[in-house]
Amino acid sequence: MDQTGNELNVTYITLAGHVEVHKYRYLYFVIMFTVYILIICSNSIIVYLICIHKSLHEPMYIFIAALLLNSILFSTAIYPKLLIDFLSEKQIISYPACLFQGFIYYSFGGSEFLLLSAMAYDRYVSICKPLQYPTIMRMTTVKVTLILAWILPACQLLGTAILNATIKICKSVLNGIYCDNAVSKLSCGNTTAQNVLGVVILLNIALLPMLFIVFTYARILIISYNSSKDVKKKAAQTCVPHLLVLINFSILCTFDVVKNRVESDLPKTVRLIMTLQLIVYHPLFNPIIYGLAMKEISKHLKVLIYQDKLN
């Protein structure tokens, strides 16, 4: 680090959120490596089943596959660096790499909300406008929706990443085990522009999709309540898994906001536990919910497991 006045030109950031990593480094590595493999395998199996079975080549299942693929990409932005840190003497990351990791982290997080919004709309059309479903939810519409779900968050977050790349930082310690929006607190300058842009992005890729999802499911609930038992059963079978995933992800996102806002008031161990909830629980929760609760996926999963046992 080169010092100029009161400002430091910091090349590397120390990730200080680890708890007794030198004492338990190998235990941490084995546990997190196992979790990462489980995330890759569990999500990939469901995606594989959706790809190979034509009966699952419907918008609802395509969106599920995209959501699970998003979980794999989200985890891959965090776990490889985390595993390296466990085995390293110093848990450090270069500032550009830190910005890139934070960009990827929030980009795929934003994509998650947009994909959940697309799934909510798909269920709304299927249950509330069944006769118009083939016309509205065409494969072209699905493809465009998937592209936008991955591109829009990245495009919006690019502005914040560029602003953060231009600021000078005078702190070299980040209270976390990976890079998130707390990196802006390392700045020794005015970060008002980053904060305002961050709020706008939060509204666009999280709060507005959340309001859309709530409105959509409220409409489904009202229409299902006044419909036949078959419609109620269909709504319950296909909407409940999505709602569980949405609630789980929303709670974990709230954790992310809280831990970055009150980091000085949180004990280090509590902060670490909240952080691990974000990167461990959700990527494993999704394939379990969809693998068990979605009837068609569960059926093909049982056949796959049964074939493996026979072999």
Side-chain angles (χ1 to χ4, degrees), residues 91-109:
Q91 290 72 48
I92 60 174
I93 185 171
S94 69
Y95 187 57
C98 187
L99 292 179
F100 181 71
Q101 186 181 55
F103 171 77
I104 296 297
Y105 173 78
Y106 286 110
S107 180
F108 287 125

Side-chain angles (χ1 to χ4, degrees), residues 137-181:
M137 297 305 296
R138 293 175 297 175
M139 197 52 62
T140 303
T141 305
V142 173
K143 290 177 181 178
V144 171
T145 302
L146 291 178
I147 292 170
L148 291 176
W150 274 307
I151 289 180
L152 286 180
C155 290
Q156 294 186 64
L157 287 161
L158 190 59
T160 303
I162 292 172
L163 284 174
N164 283 331
T166 59
I167 63 174
K168 292 183 179 181
I169 56 175
C170 47
K171 297 177 184 177
S172 61
V173 178
L174 191 68
N175 293 323
I177 59 175
Y178 55 82
C179 295
D180 53 20
N181 62 11

